[in-house]
Every structure is written in C-alpha cells, then in structure tokens.
Amino acid sequence: MKRIDIVYGGERFSIGDRDLETLKQEIRSGLATGHHWLVVNDGEGEFHSAYLSISPGVPLALIPVPDHEPEGATEAWDGLGTVSETDV
C-alpha cells in the first residue's frame, strides 16, 4: 500500500508506511479510552506533522491508496469529490 488518505473535517491528510488494519486498531484503542491524537501528514512531498483529535462522534474516513492502479482502471479521484476520466 502506497499510503492511507484520511478525510477529517473536510480536509485530506495522509499516513505512509502503515498497514490499514494496524491503523484501524490504533483508532479503535484510542476511542476505547475516549480520546486519541492521531499523527498524520499535512500536505504533499515533505512531511509536515498534523495531529487529529479522534473521539466518539467525530467523522473520519480512511482511504487506502494502492501502490499502483488496478488493471483496467479508467477513472481517477480528482480530489474534489468527483470522478474524472484519465489516460490510464
């Protein structure tokens, strides 16, 4: 897996070099205590730490990004909530 994108508060963040199941377990464990600070990357390229406050009722989306596009893929996420055609 290339990275895991995270949508939080309408903004996109990412985590690299992590396993999806391990990340989900970290979030579940943090929620069990009532609150957890999740360290993520803010931006692209150079790492800039951001700390997301995770607690019950806070919407959070985990989006696994594979190392490569699946065979036959003809659409890509444009980051604006829509799908557009690409030359894959």
Side-chain angles (χ1 to χ4, degrees):
M1 181 173 319
K2 185 175 185 176
R3 70 181 183 276
I4 300 169
D5 284 348
I6 298 173
V7 178
Y8 177 94
E11 298 293 325
R12 190 174 287 251
F13 302 91
S14 65
I15 295 180
D17 300 320
R18 293 287 302 271
D19 173 71
L20 179 62
E21 291 306 315
T22 303
L23 177 59
K24 286 167 44 177
Q25 184 56 46
E26 176 186 340
I27 293 168
R28 279 192 293 270
S29 295
L31 287 172
T33 66
H35 184 262
H36 179 66
W37 287 101
L38 182 63
V39 181
V40 298
N41 182 36
D42 177 26
E44 296 183 19
E46 188 176 331
F47 186 86
H48 297 280
S49 294
Y51 299 85
L52 305 182
S53 178
I54 308 299
S55 58
V58 173
L60 179 74
L62 304 178
I63 307 162
V65 178
D67 288 328
H68 54 80
E69 288 290 324
E71 233 178 273
T74 60
E75 298 179 329
W77 175 257
D78 69 5
L80 301 173
T82 59
V83 176
S84 58
E85 293 292 319
T86 62
D87 297 320
V88 176

